[in-house]
Amino acid sequence: MEISNLIYLSEIGAFAIACIVGCLILALKKKKGFFKVLGVSFIVLLAVLTTTFVLERPSIKTDEITNIEVKSGEKINRPNVYYHFRKTNENVRIKGNIDYDKVGEYDVEIEVQTLFGTYAKKSKVNIVDTKSPVITLEGEEDFKQSYKEEYKEPGYKAYDENDGNLTEKVIVSKEMVNENDYNLIYEVQDLSGNEEKKERKVIIIDNVPPVITLNGNTDMTIFLNEKYEESGAKAVDEIDGDLTEKIEISGSVDTAKEGSYAIIYKVSDSKGNEAVVQRNVSVKKKEIAQQVNTSSKTNTPTSASTVKPQNGSNGKKGVIYLTFDDGPSNNITPRVLDILKQKNVKATFFILNYNSEGEKLVKREFAEGHTVAIHGYSHDYATIYQSEDAYMSNITKLQAKIKASTGYNATITRFPGGSSNMVSKYNPGIMTRLCKLIVSKGYKYFDWNVSSGDAGGAKTSDDVYNNVISGLSKSKANVVLMHDFSSNSKLLDALPRIIDYGLANGYTFERITESTPMVTHRPNN
Ligand code: ZN
């Protein structure tokens, strides 16, 4: 039997006892007035107590039943009821339609059954969602990424037990950790506002090796017993910058013995990414080498590698051809011209398109006996190497302008980037075709075999000076690459010293003319 039923019985019992005692007292009422008063008081007290018992409504505490986790499977606890000085949840029922799988506020009625009737109270039940969605990252949480490549999201998913797929609601933000590395923050909220956050570390690494560019030809032929001149190489790393000084050169050429020799150029960047380039040197008997040289000269000027010493009357061994690219500039070119004038040295200017100020300088170059040569109307690789036509119009346009300024028909050219450039790779084979084409149209082109580095690696005047001095050789025609563009003031200090060094060491200075044998690289494209 339930306790509450016992209570009901005791209530009935108390009522019955009160009636019996009341009747007994009434029976005694004839005896004395005192008992009469006592008896009536007792009856009244019992009646009041009984009425209270009968009329008392259960007090229902409703705050115990709200907020039930959705899909938890748990059912509403019957709330406690305070009734007849006791706390109980027996004979308590919850009435109402509640979907336990769905978040929401539901109206219910709490019903308490007592012996004296049924009592009900309105209340509310909240089915709530307090569980956060789950974010799953695909790919590594510590993501290593080459600085060269663009970040490619490996993917992510967000799922909420109640709201389903929330992937589209994920917000991804970026938080820099240092100059290179960053965290990607993935955040999502479900429909009830429960948040979830995940992080992916993106670590930027350098796994790109430096690029080694050989000075001179990658394939060389020299004659038996001739000296092999190491023309060196340049190395540039996108992160570390110029690494030319760190290049290790190994291998040797035995010029007393015919054969093929490999010179190996090796350099590593600060992250240990290594680049290796090989130069092939073949040592041949003179007659054979000459045959190769002359036969190729007639057909393909590109392979007539004039890095080798020239023969005959045009033999320009020990000559220094100073060449200045990318001018004229208002601040550098006049001072270069001043220096050349003072030293009585003639040079060659491979110029770009110029304005009226520049025209004065072009006229001065010409008037002072230098060679005005064509670099291009534009220097923009993406434009000029688009097609043969684009390149040809790039030189003819400037040629016409030079003619108008000076009366001189310039036919000496230098390809922007050199004939060995790789920047034209977007148009495969264009350099190989252009090298033939422009020669067939009566132009000559000149690359270089001594690089001052003044447009790249050289940081000071001393660097420029040393780069040139170390590249000079008495056994070749030295074509020295320099630049007279406006930001190149370090050239101005180096140039007089270079000329002094050359003159003091038995070199002669000449400008390039129409009869100067071409000094060319080998096209790489
Ligand atoms: Zn240039």
Side-chain angles (χ1 to χ4, degrees), residues 470-514:
S470 61
L472 293 175
S473 165
K474 283 281 181 57
S475 60
K476 68 180 181 193
N478 299 277
V479 179
V480 180
L481 173 65
M482 293 183 284
H483 294 82
D484 60 332
F485 52 63
S486 64
S487 59
N488 199 17
S489 54
K490 59 184 176 295
L491 170 72
L492 298 173
D493 181 53
L495 182 58
R497 292 157 64 204
I498 290 167
I499 296 171
D500 290 349
Y501 174 92
L503 295 172
N505 287 279
Y507 290 92
T508 55
F509 287 87
E510 288 184 20
R511 66 185 180 103
I512 293 172
T513 68
E514 285 72 8

Side-chain angles (χ1 to χ4, degrees), residues 30-240:
K30 286 174 185 171
K31 289 268 174 155
K32 280 176 186 172
F34 169 74
F35 285 108
K36 190 180 170 181
V37 172
L38 190 69
V40 170
S41 305
F42 193 58
I43 289 165
V44 168
L45 180 68
L46 280 175
V48 166
L49 280 174
T50 306
T51 310
T52 307
F53 259 67
V54 171
L55 296 183
E56 187 198 0
R57 285 168 176 262
S59 99
I60 303 166
K61 218 173 161 235
T62 54
D63 57 353
E64 291 177 12
I65 60 162
T66 52
N67 291 345
I68 291 167
E69 181 64 41
V70 63
K71 284 188 179 159
S72 63
E74 87 185 75
K75 294 286 183 255
I76 300 175
N77 286 318
R78 283 177 298 167
N80 286 311
V81 165
Y82 298 87
Y83 185 47
H84 293 178
F85 318 114
R86 293 181 67 251
K87 188 168 98 171
T88 176
N89 62 12
E90 282 160 13
N91 296 309
V92 176
R93 287 203 304 156
I94 310 286
K95 284 172 75 182
N97 290 322
I98 298 170
D99 185 348
Y100 288 89
D101 289 336
K102 212 172 141 194
V103 171
E105 196 179 69
Y106 296 89
D107 291 317
V108 293
E109 249 182 8
I110 299 160
E111 220 177 61
V112 186
Q113 188 74 44
T114 74
L115 192 68
F116 307 107
T118 301
Y119 299 92
K121 188 175 179 183
K122 283 192 192 325
S123 181
K124 286 189 191 301
V125 168
N126 291 320
I127 303 297
V128 294
D129 172 16
T130 59
K131 273 190 196 152
S132 294
V134 177
I135 299 178
T136 320
L137 296 184
E138 281 153 33
E140 301 283 323
E141 283 191 21
D142 284 353
F143 194 83
K144 294 203 172 57
Q145 163 87 37
S146 167
Y147 75 92
K148 269 282 210 198
E149 291 155 29
E150 231 170 85
Y151 176 76
K152 243 190 177 167
E153 175 58 51
Y156 53 84
K157 278 182 188 142
Y159 184 79
D160 186 71
E161 225 179 89
N162 298 302
D163 306 330
N165 188 357
L166 294 179
T167 304
E168 293 205 342
K169 300 209 162 182
V170 175
I171 295 167
V172 186
S173 57
K174 193 170 170 179
E175 184 186 88
M176 295 308 290
V177 174
N178 55 44
E179 210 180 305
N180 300 311
D181 306 337
Y182 54 90
N183 292 336
L184 290 175
I185 318 283
Y186 303 78
E187 284 170 295
V188 73
Q189 258 190 15
D190 69 10
L191 300 180
S192 303
N194 300 301
E195 294 175 358
E196 177 67 349
K197 192 170 163 179
K198 274 239 163 151
E199 225 178 75
R200 194 199 297 279
K201 285 187 167 67
V202 181
I203 301 151
I204 304 298
I205 52 163
D206 172 14
N207 57 0
V208 179
V211 175
I212 298 178
T213 314
L214 297 183
N215 298 331
N217 290 356
T218 50
D219 295 298
M220 282 178 73
T221 303
I222 58 171
F223 308 139
L224 269 175
N225 297 317
E226 228 178 32
K227 202 183 164 212
Y228 169 69
E229 297 274 352
E230 177 54 59
S231 40
K234 285 187 280 292
V236 177
D237 185 71
E238 284 198 25
I239 300 267
D240 298 343

